[in-house]
Every structure is written in C-alpha cells, then in structure tokens.
mmCIF file of all heavy atoms in Angstrom:
data_model
loop_
_atom_site.group_PDB
_atom_site.id
_atom_site.type_symbol
_atom_site.label_atom_id
_atom_site.label_comp_id
_atom_site.label_asym_id
_atom_site.label_seq_id
_atom_site.Cartn_x
_atom_site.Cartn_y
_atom_site.Cartn_z
ATOM 1 N N PHE D 222 14.088 -8.729 -9.031
ATOM 2 C CA PHE D 222 13.009 -9.165 -8.215
ATOM 3 C C PHE D 222 12.673 -8.239 -7.076
ATOM 4 O O PHE D 222 11.595 -8.180 -6.531
ATOM 5 C CB PHE D 222 13.355 -10.575 -7.640
ATOM 6 C CG PHE D 222 13.184 -11.700 -8.699
ATOM 7 C CD1 PHE D 222 14.358 -12.132 -9.350
ATOM 8 C CD2 PHE D 222 11.977 -12.244 -9.093
ATOM 9 C CE1 PHE D 222 14.246 -13.059 -10.321
ATOM 10 C CE2 PHE D 222 11.866 -13.206 -9.980
ATOM 11 C CZ PHE D 222 13.018 -13.627 -10.648
ATOM 12 N N LEU D 223 13.704 -7.437 -6.585
ATOM 13 C CA LEU D 223 13.510 -6.541 -5.431
ATOM 14 C C LEU D 223 13.419 -5.137 -5.850
ATOM 15 O O LEU D 223 12.826 -4.284 -5.060
ATOM 16 C CB LEU D 223 14.660 -6.784 -4.434
ATOM 17 C CG LEU D 223 14.608 -8.137 -3.754
ATOM 18 C CD1 LEU D 223 15.811 -8.203 -2.810
ATOM 19 C CD2 LEU D 223 13.324 -8.503 -3.041
ATOM 20 N N ARG D 224 13.926 -4.770 -7.033
ATOM 21 C CA ARG D 224 13.872 -3.394 -7.550
ATOM 22 C C ARG D 224 14.268 -2.330 -6.483
ATOM 23 O O ARG D 224 15.404 -2.238 -6.076
ATOM 24 C CB ARG D 224 12.416 -3.160 -8.100
ATOM 25 C CG ARG D 224 12.080 -4.170 -9.295
ATOM 26 C CD ARG D 224 10.750 -3.818 -9.792
ATOM 27 N NE ARG D 224 10.416 -4.813 -10.858
ATOM 28 C CZ ARG D 224 10.780 -4.651 -12.131
ATOM 29 N NH1 ARG D 224 11.463 -3.636 -12.497
ATOM 30 N NH2 ARG D 224 10.429 -5.627 -13.022
ATOM 31 N N THR D 225 13.330 -1.577 -5.962
ATOM 32 C CA THR D 225 13.639 -0.488 -5.127
ATOM 33 C C THR D 225 14.032 -0.970 -3.727
ATOM 34 O O THR D 225 14.561 -0.202 -2.865
ATOM 35 C CB THR D 225 12.476 0.468 -4.914
ATOM 36 O OG1 THR D 225 11.292 -0.263 -4.386
ATOM 37 C CG2 THR D 225 12.092 1.130 -6.219
ATOM 38 N N ARG D 226 13.903 -2.267 -3.432
ATOM 39 C CA ARG D 226 14.318 -2.764 -2.141
ATOM 40 C C ARG D 226 15.635 -3.679 -2.315
ATOM 41 O O ARG D 226 15.810 -4.646 -1.571
ATOM 42 C CB ARG D 226 13.229 -3.692 -1.619
ATOM 43 C CG ARG D 226 11.937 -2.914 -1.308
ATOM 44 C CD ARG D 226 10.856 -3.768 -0.666
ATOM 45 N NE ARG D 226 9.661 -2.993 -0.356
ATOM 46 C CZ ARG D 226 8.574 -3.518 0.178
ATOM 47 N NH1 ARG D 226 8.544 -4.826 0.389
ATOM 48 N NH2 ARG D 226 7.503 -2.810 0.428
ATOM 49 N N SER D 227 16.415 -3.295 -3.183
ATOM 50 C CA SER D 227 17.647 -3.992 -3.448
ATOM 51 C C SER D 227 18.539 -4.135 -2.241
ATOM 52 O O SER D 227 19.347 -5.091 -2.008
ATOM 53 C CB SER D 227 18.366 -3.466 -4.652
ATOM 54 O OG SER D 227 18.731 -2.126 -4.429
ATOM 55 N N SER D 228 18.499 -3.075 -1.337
ATOM 56 C CA SER D 228 19.388 -3.153 -0.129
ATOM 57 C C SER D 228 19.141 -4.335 0.589
ATOM 58 O O SER D 228 20.120 -4.892 1.166
ATOM 59 C CB SER D 228 19.057 -1.847 0.680
ATOM 60 O OG SER D 228 19.398 -0.664 -0.022
ATOM 61 N N TRP D 229 17.896 -4.762 0.726
ATOM 62 C CA TRP D 229 17.604 -5.919 1.519
ATOM 63 C C TRP D 229 18.215 -7.218 0.839
ATOM 64 O O TRP D 229 18.737 -8.157 1.502
ATOM 65 C CB TRP D 229 16.102 -6.154 1.644
ATOM 66 C CG TRP D 229 15.479 -5.233 2.607
ATOM 67 C CD1 TRP D 229 14.709 -4.093 2.231
ATOM 68 C CD2 TRP D 229 15.469 -5.257 4.040
ATOM 69 N NE1 TRP D 229 14.313 -3.423 3.325
ATOM 70 C CE2 TRP D 229 14.788 -4.044 4.430
ATOM 71 C CE3 TRP D 229 16.076 -6.100 4.910
ATOM 72 C CZ2 TRP D 229 14.619 -3.803 5.793
ATOM 73 C CZ3 TRP D 229 15.962 -5.807 6.303
ATOM 74 C CH2 TRP D 229 15.233 -4.643 6.682
ATOM 75 N N GLY D 230 18.203 -7.207 -0.457
ATOM 76 C CA GLY D 230 18.862 -8.296 -1.210
ATOM 77 C C GLY D 230 20.349 -8.372 -0.990
ATOM 78 O O GLY D 230 20.911 -9.462 -0.685
ATOM 79 N N TYR D 231 20.985 -7.184 -0.976
ATOM 80 C CA TYR D 231 22.449 -7.204 -0.742
ATOM 81 C C TYR D 231 22.741 -7.619 0.744
ATOM 82 O O TYR D 231 23.752 -8.264 0.988
ATOM 83 C CB TYR D 231 22.976 -5.747 -0.998
ATOM 84 C CG TYR D 231 22.831 -5.377 -2.445
ATOM 85 C CD1 TYR D 231 22.489 -3.992 -2.764
ATOM 86 C CD2 TYR D 231 22.983 -6.253 -3.505
ATOM 87 C CE1 TYR D 231 22.290 -3.617 -4.087
ATOM 88 C CE2 TYR D 231 22.782 -5.830 -4.827
ATOM 89 C CZ TYR D 231 22.442 -4.478 -5.112
ATOM 90 O OH TYR D 231 22.207 -4.081 -6.409
ATOM 91 N N LEU D 232 21.910 -7.210 1.584
ATOM 92 C CA LEU D 232 22.122 -7.640 3.058
ATOM 93 C C LEU D 232 22.001 -9.130 3.172
ATOM 94 O O LEU D 232 22.828 -9.736 3.785
ATOM 95 C CB LEU D 232 21.063 -6.932 3.873
ATOM 96 C CG LEU D 232 21.107 -7.250 5.420
ATOM 97 C CD1 LEU D 232 22.516 -6.878 5.982
ATOM 98 C CD2 LEU D 232 19.957 -6.575 6.173
ATOM 99 N N VAL D 233 20.946 -9.768 2.586
ATOM 100 C CA VAL D 233 20.834 -11.195 2.607
ATOM 101 C C VAL D 233 21.958 -11.868 1.995
ATOM 102 O O VAL D 233 22.583 -12.856 2.482
ATOM 103 C CB VAL D 233 19.522 -11.629 1.956
ATOM 104 C CG1 VAL D 233 19.461 -13.093 1.853
ATOM 105 C CG2 VAL D 233 18.312 -11.112 2.765
ATOM 106 N N PHE D 234 22.410 -11.392 0.800
ATOM 107 C CA PHE D 234 23.605 -11.933 0.169
ATOM 108 C C PHE D 234 24.819 -11.866 1.025
ATOM 109 O O PHE D 234 25.640 -12.764 1.059
ATOM 110 C CB PHE D 234 23.860 -11.213 -1.209
ATOM 111 C CG PHE D 234 25.011 -11.675 -1.991
ATOM 112 C CD1 PHE D 234 25.311 -12.966 -2.181
ATOM 113 C CD2 PHE D 234 26.019 -10.767 -2.422
ATOM 114 C CE1 PHE D 234 26.404 -13.447 -2.907
ATOM 115 C CE2 PHE D 234 27.124 -11.151 -3.185
ATOM 116 C CZ PHE D 234 27.343 -12.501 -3.331
ATOM 117 N N GLY D 235 24.988 -10.703 1.704
ATOM 118 C CA GLY D 235 26.139 -10.596 2.597
ATOM 119 C C GLY D 235 26.122 -11.533 3.781
ATOM 120 O O GLY D 235 27.161 -12.191 4.169
ATOM 121 N N LEU D 236 24.929 -11.740 4.251
ATOM 122 C CA LEU D 236 24.783 -12.704 5.413
ATOM 123 C C LEU D 236 25.077 -14.139 4.934
ATOM 124 O O LEU D 236 25.664 -14.917 5.707
ATOM 125 C CB LEU D 236 23.396 -12.609 6.118
ATOM 126 C CG LEU D 236 23.107 -11.270 6.787
ATOM 127 C CD1 LEU D 236 21.657 -11.220 7.231
ATOM 128 C CD2 LEU D 236 24.065 -11.058 7.935
ATOM 129 N N LEU D 237 24.571 -14.511 3.819
ATOM 130 C CA LEU D 237 24.819 -15.827 3.261
ATOM 131 C C LEU D 237 26.338 -15.970 3.018
ATOM 132 O O LEU D 237 26.942 -17.091 3.286
ATOM 133 C CB LEU D 237 24.077 -16.028 1.942
ATOM 134 C CG LEU D 237 22.586 -16.156 2.127
ATOM 135 C CD1 LEU D 237 21.940 -16.279 0.716
ATOM 136 C CD2 LEU D 237 22.241 -17.465 2.904
ATOM 137 N N ALA D 238 27.014 -14.900 2.476
ATOM 138 C CA ALA D 238 28.471 -14.976 2.240
ATOM 139 C C ALA D 238 29.231 -15.141 3.553
ATOM 140 O O ALA D 238 30.180 -15.957 3.648
ATOM 141 C CB ALA D 238 28.859 -13.702 1.590
ATOM 142 N N LEU D 239 28.780 -14.491 4.606
ATOM 143 C CA LEU D 239 29.460 -14.607 5.934
ATOM 144 C C LEU D 239 29.228 -16.074 6.435
ATOM 145 O O LEU D 239 30.169 -16.613 7.063
ATOM 146 C CB LEU D 239 28.838 -13.655 6.893
ATOM 147 C CG LEU D 239 29.238 -12.151 6.691
ATOM 148 C CD1 LEU D 239 28.529 -11.322 7.724
ATOM 149 C CD2 LEU D 239 30.722 -11.984 6.830
ATOM 150 N N THR D 240 28.125 -16.686 6.168
ATOM 151 C CA THR D 240 27.960 -18.053 6.552
ATOM 152 C C THR D 240 28.970 -18.936 5.883
ATOM 153 O O THR D 240 29.507 -19.796 6.496
ATOM 154 C CB THR D 240 26.471 -18.488 6.223
ATOM 155 O OG1 THR D 240 25.597 -17.659 6.852
ATOM 156 C CG2 THR D 240 26.294 -19.940 6.696
ATOM 157 N N PHE D 241 29.106 -18.783 4.591
ATOM 158 C CA PHE D 241 30.173 -19.570 3.859
ATOM 159 C C PHE D 241 31.537 -19.274 4.431
ATOM 160 O O PHE D 241 32.341 -20.186 4.595
ATOM 161 C CB PHE D 241 30.189 -19.063 2.356
ATOM 162 C CG PHE D 241 29.185 -19.851 1.467
ATOM 163 C CD1 PHE D 241 27.980 -19.379 1.293
ATOM 164 C CD2 PHE D 241 29.625 -21.099 0.892
ATOM 165 C CE1 PHE D 241 26.998 -20.107 0.450
ATOM 166 C CE2 PHE D 241 28.750 -21.746 0.132
ATOM 167 C CZ PHE D 241 27.486 -21.259 -0.086
ATOM 168 N N ALA D 242 31.885 -18.045 4.816
ATOM 169 C CA ALA D 242 33.172 -17.712 5.303
ATOM 170 C C ALA D 242 33.450 -18.244 6.637
ATOM 171 O O ALA D 242 34.575 -18.551 7.008
ATOM 172 C CB ALA D 242 33.376 -16.206 5.252
ATOM 173 N N LEU D 243 32.451 -18.295 7.506
ATOM 174 C CA LEU D 243 32.618 -18.574 8.912
ATOM 175 C C LEU D 243 32.345 -19.989 9.394
ATOM 176 O O LEU D 243 32.943 -20.546 10.335
ATOM 177 C CB LEU D 243 31.841 -17.611 9.860
ATOM 178 C CG LEU D 243 32.066 -16.135 9.624
ATOM 179 C CD1 LEU D 243 31.188 -15.284 10.434
ATOM 180 C CD2 LEU D 243 33.602 -15.857 10.040
ATOM 181 N N VAL D 244 31.521 -20.657 8.651
ATOM 182 C CA VAL D 244 31.104 -22.014 9.038
ATOM 183 C C VAL D 244 32.112 -23.083 8.432
ATOM 184 O O VAL D 244 32.229 -23.009 7.219
ATOM 185 C CB VAL D 244 29.656 -22.389 8.585
ATOM 186 C CG1 VAL D 244 29.340 -23.846 8.895
ATOM 187 C CG2 VAL D 244 28.647 -21.441 9.231
ATOM 188 N N PRO D 245 32.775 -23.896 9.272
ATOM 189 C CA PRO D 245 33.741 -24.865 8.753
ATOM 190 C C PRO D 245 33.026 -25.859 7.805
ATOM 191 O O PRO D 245 31.964 -26.255 8.057
ATOM 192 C CB PRO D 245 34.214 -25.563 10.014
ATOM 193 C CG PRO D 245 33.887 -24.615 11.106
ATOM 194 C CD PRO D 245 32.682 -23.857 10.729
ATOM 195 N N VAL D 246 33.719 -26.160 6.727
ATOM 196 C CA VAL D 246 33.245 -27.058 5.735
ATOM 197 C C VAL D 246 34.129 -28.334 5.749
ATOM 198 O O VAL D 246 35.348 -28.296 5.689
ATOM 199 C CB VAL D 246 33.239 -26.468 4.344
ATOM 200 C CG1 VAL D 246 32.782 -27.508 3.314
ATOM 201 C CG2 VAL D 246 32.397 -25.242 4.279
ATOM 202 N N ALA D 247 33.457 -29.496 6.021
ATOM 203 C CA ALA D 247 34.197 -30.739 6.093
ATOM 204 C C ALA D 247 34.607 -31.336 4.769
ATOM 205 O O ALA D 247 35.556 -31.994 4.562
ATOM 206 C CB ALA D 247 33.391 -31.739 6.973
ATOM 207 N N SER D 248 33.758 -31.085 3.718
ATOM 208 C CA SER D 248 33.998 -31.730 2.429
ATOM 209 C C SER D 248 35.116 -31.036 1.687
ATOM 210 O O SER D 248 35.085 -29.756 1.514
ATOM 211 C CB SER D 248 32.682 -31.623 1.610
ATOM 212 O OG SER D 248 32.949 -32.009 0.226
ATOM 213 N N PRO D 249 36.112 -31.774 1.215
ATOM 214 C CA PRO D 249 37.192 -31.133 0.401
ATOM 215 C C PRO D 249 36.666 -30.501 -0.886
ATOM 216 O O PRO D 249 37.227 -29.553 -1.339
ATOM 217 C CB PRO D 249 38.082 -32.413 0.058
ATOM 218 C CG PRO D 249 37.755 -33.391 1.130
ATOM 219 C CD PRO D 249 36.383 -33.198 1.428
ATOM 220 N N ALA D 250 35.519 -30.976 -1.392
ATOM 221 C CA ALA D 250 34.993 -30.449 -2.611
ATOM 222 C C ALA D 250 34.434 -28.973 -2.392
ATOM 223 O O ALA D 250 34.297 -28.295 -3.282
ATOM 224 C CB ALA D 250 33.822 -31.299 -3.116
ATOM 225 N N LEU D 251 34.209 -28.654 -1.126
ATOM 226 C CA LEU D 251 33.740 -27.357 -0.808
ATOM 227 C C LEU D 251 34.700 -26.445 -0.081
ATOM 228 O O LEU D 251 34.399 -25.508 0.590
ATOM 229 C CB LEU D 251 32.459 -27.418 0.043
ATOM 230 C CG LEU D 251 31.164 -28.081 -0.663
ATOM 231 C CD1 LEU D 251 30.065 -28.195 0.351
ATOM 232 C CD2 LEU D 251 30.781 -27.296 -1.859
ATOM 233 N N ALA D 252 35.980 -26.867 -0.254
ATOM 234 C CA ALA D 252 37.050 -26.088 0.470
ATOM 235 C C ALA D 252 37.140 -24.694 -0.014
ATOM 236 O O ALA D 252 37.660 -23.811 0.706
ATOM 237 C CB ALA D 252 38.396 -26.829 0.225
ATOM 238 N N TRP D 253 36.726 -24.427 -1.211
ATOM 239 C CA TRP D 253 36.729 -23.046 -1.766
ATOM 240 C C TRP D 253 35.649 -22.129 -1.126
ATOM 241 O O TRP D 253 35.720 -20.924 -1.270
ATOM 242 C CB TRP D 253 36.365 -23.075 -3.267
ATOM 243 C CG TRP D 253 35.036 -23.713 -3.554
ATOM 244 C CD1 TRP D 253 34.815 -25.043 -3.712
ATOM 245 C CD2 TRP D 253 33.801 -23.101 -3.652
ATOM 246 N NE1 TRP D 253 33.436 -25.249 -3.935
ATOM 247 C CE2 TRP D 253 32.822 -24.059 -3.890
ATOM 248 C CE3 TRP D 253 33.330 -21.711 -3.482
ATOM 249 C CZ2 TRP D 253 31.471 -23.799 -4.007
ATOM 250 C CZ3 TRP D 253 32.008 -21.472 -3.608
ATOM 251 C CH2 TRP D 253 31.061 -22.413 -3.856
#
C-alpha cells in the first residue's frame, strides 16, 4: 500500500508497537 513510502509505514508500526509496550493493560487476556 505504501510502496516507495514504506519508511512511513515502518515508523507508524514502531509507534504502535511502543504503545503496546508502554501502556499498561488491565485485561489478563492482553497480558502478552
């Protein structure tokens, strides 16, 4: 979908990953 602009996609993926890593999750089902 991004083709030559894949860097932006990887950046967004990284920011979403950091959100998963840093934001506490209360649900045991999402402990992973």
Side-chain angles (χ1 to χ4, degrees):
F222 289 97
L223 295 181
R224 299 183 183 275
T225 58
R226 298 182 178 180
S227 58
S228 296
W229 289 104
Y231 298 141
L232 178 60
V233 171
F234 178 49
L236 293 175
L237 291 174
L239 288 177
T240 302
F241 272 92
L243 298 176
V244 176
V246 177
S248 172
L251 296 176
W253 57 271

